[in-house]
Amino acid sequence: MAELQEVQITEEKPLLPGQTPEVAKEAELAARILLDRGQTHSVETPYGSVTFTVYGTPKPKRPAILTYHDVGLNYKTCFQPLFQFGDMQEIIQNFVRVHVDAPGMEEGAPVFPVGYQYPSLDQLADTIPCILQYLNFSTIIGVGVGAGAYILSRYALNHQETVEGLVLINIDPNAKGWMDWAAHKLTGLTSSIAEMILGHLFSQEELSGNSELIQKYRNIITHAPNLENIELYWNSYNNRRDLNFERGGDITLKCPVMLVVGDQAPHEDAVVECNSKLDPTQTSFLKMADSGGQPQLTQPGKLTEAFKYFLQGMGYMASSCMTRLSRSRTASLTSAASIDGNRSRSRTLSQSSESGTLSSGPPGHTMEVSC
């Protein structure tokens, strides 16, 4: 990465002798393409080898953005639409990114042998310090979806000093109960692993609609060459322990948290319950309309707006242009403060492309912003 920086041509540097502006522009574009491809690494951990891809270069006094994907996906199929979105470029220019693939989920991963003991989600969380030590990174902002959100939350509980913030999409912090287990077993008798995972990722309405997005991801999961590995990750997710979050208790997330879920998504109730258990002064709750089960795939623009404001609230990107969502929330918070300076910072953000209204509840309740 360092070598690429040294040869990168920018408009501020003089052209080499005999070099035309066109050649210089092509050289700069080639260097940027190399940077955009990222660098893939593997590190040995107590629970096997873990693959991750790094984009960009570390920024002084700034954490890395570290992502962890859900079951049935890898970092590309889970996060590429979000991080390749146009407005997201302003963010990724300011942070180095680390995209972690769960063991056996990376592209081209060999199938694990029969009887392989796949790590639990708690053990996968324990592999993250190995990655940060390898990269010599001290702090992160975690972005996780589903199983990945659980893993990052478990890591944050054990390593609070290294986590500056968390964006948790579709998190279910609870272990499966007996009724859940019974329903899971019954579903397994009539549905394939691929169909069960699709039901975990997307709402029944989405699956019934069979849009191009659903067709794409059904094909990806059904024909995955590492489907046996995916099933192992799926089993670990279903065997997760309860995170035991308790508002006002010792077991809670100390850093700023943004919870995200789509309206009518499979995990809507679980995320709502998680919100009720976390510190309201540190937690934002974003419920996105028209986004289905995977808002980072279906609504990357709205999620980018929310993420940018989340970072601004943490003290980063203060000079960034404020988006419509940011302006709405700033106006709302200012208005709320003038009414009641002691109002809780906990807020629910409901996004809708059809509404531009703003409403705030009574003191001590969550705040709703529609945009």
Side-chain angles (χ1 to χ4, degrees):
M1 301 298 290
E3 293 180 358
L4 288 174
Q5 274 195 310
E6 292 172 5
V7 301
Q8 186 176 9
I9 299 175
T10 67
E11 295 178 356
E12 296 177 357
K13 293 182 180 180
L15 297 177
L16 296 175
Q19 188 178 45
T20 64
E22 290 75 15
V23 173
K25 193 170 184 178
E26 290 178 1
E28 180 181 358
L29 178 61
R32 287 179 177 173
I33 291 174
L34 288 174
L35 284 171
D36 289 343
R37 287 176 181 172
Q39 290 192 339
T40 300
H41 308 265
S42 293
V43 62
E44 289 299 326
T45 77
Y47 307 104
S49 177
V50 176
T51 300
F52 54 94
T53 304
V54 181
Y55 289 83
T57 55
K59 305 299 188 292
K61 298 181 180 180
R62 292 205 170 188
I65 293 175
L66 185 143
T67 71
Y68 217 115
H69 61 87
D70 202 355
V71 177
L73 309 173
N74 56 35
Y75 93 84
K76 289 185 177 180
T77 54
C78 189
F79 290 109
Q80 246 184 12
L82 176 63
F83 283 95
Q84 288 185 349
F85 188 77
D87 290 347
M88 179 63 77
Q89 305 314 302
E90 183 181 6
I91 295 176
I92 64 178
Q93 289 172 4
N94 287 278
F95 295 89
V96 63
R97 289 176 290 146
V98 182
H99 295 290
V100 181
D101 280 316
M105 304 303 126
E106 68 274 13
E107 290 184 343
V111 175
F112 291 123
V114 176
Y116 178 80
Q117 184 62 47
Y118 198 81
S120 67
L121 296 195
D122 290 6
Q123 290 171 334
L124 291 177
D126 289 338
T127 66
I128 294 177
C130 301
I131 297 172
L132 299 185
Q133 183 178 10
Y134 178 91
L135 295 171
N136 196 29
F137 291 170
S138 56
T139 59
I140 65 167
I141 295 172
V143 181
V145 181
Y150 180 102
I151 290 167
L152 290 177
S153 296
R154 177 65 72 184
Y155 171 76
L157 289 175
N158 297 334
H159 303 274
Q160 296 178 9
E161 70 285 354
T162 68
V163 182
E164 293 195 23
L166 289 173
V167 177
L168 305 176
I169 304 171
N170 297 338
I171 184 171
D172 187 343
N174 302 317
K176 277 187 175 293
W178 287 109
M179 294 297 292
D180 296 320
W181 267 112
H184 177 72
K185 292 297 183 182
L186 288 173
T187 303
L189 296 175
T190 57
S191 302
S192 66
I193 291 296
E195 288 301 321
M196 286 193 290
I197 292 175
L198 285 166
H200 160 79
L201 296 174
F202 300 100
S203 68
Q204 288 303 313
E205 183 180 356
E206 289 177 287
L207 294 174
S208 299
N210 200 31
S211 65
E212 288 187 12
L213 178 72
I214 298 301
Q215 293 178 37
K216 173 184 176 181
Y217 279 84
R218 178 177 278 116
N219 182 66
I220 288 173
I221 296 172
T222 303
H223 298 100
N226 62 336
L227 187 57
E228 292 90 342
N229 295 357
I230 293 174
E231 183 175 0
L232 294 176
Y233 188 21
W234 173 239
N235 291 338
S236 289
Y237 176 71
N238 287 313
N239 284 294
R240 65 190 180 277
R241 295 192 302 143
D242 199 313
L243 288 173
N244 292 314
F245 289 147
E246 182 182 359
R247 178 170 290 185
D250 294 331
I251 303 178
T252 190
L253 298 173
K254 306 292 186 182
C255 63
V257 178
M258 182 168 72
L259 300 175
V260 182
V261 70
D263 193 19
Q264 304 300 319
H267 306 286
E268 181 180 356
D269 291 342
V271 179
V272 170
E273 181 180 352
C274 182
N275 182 53
S276 71
K277 293 180 178 180
L278 295 178
D279 182 356
T281 67
Q282 294 280 12
T283 307
S284 301
F285 180 28
L286 176 64
K287 186 193 294 186
M288 299 179 63
D290 305 320
S291 65
Q294 299 292 309
Q296 81 282 4
L297 301 179
T298 58
Q299 296 285 0
K302 292 180 180 179
L303 188 54
T304 296
E305 289 186 19
F307 188 31
K308 185 181 295 185
Y309 190 79
F310 181 69
L311 293 171
Q312 290 174 335
M314 294 174 61
Y316 298 111
M317 300 180 61
S319 61
S320 172
C321 295
M322 294 187 70
T323 62
R324 183 175 60 146
L325 173 61
S326 302
R327 290 194 299 269
S328 297
R329 292 186 63 190
T330 300
S332 174
L333 292 173
T334 302
S335 175
S338 66
I339 297 173
D340 184 354
N342 296 321
R343 176 171 298 176
S344 169
R345 287 178 53 202
S346 176
R347 55 264 186 191
T348 300
L349 308 179
S350 299
Q351 292 190 331
S352 169
S353 59
E354 299 177 355
S355 173
T357 61
L358 173 72
S359 63
S360 58
H365 285 65
T366 56
M367 188 175 299
E368 297 187 2
V369 178
S370 298
C371 59

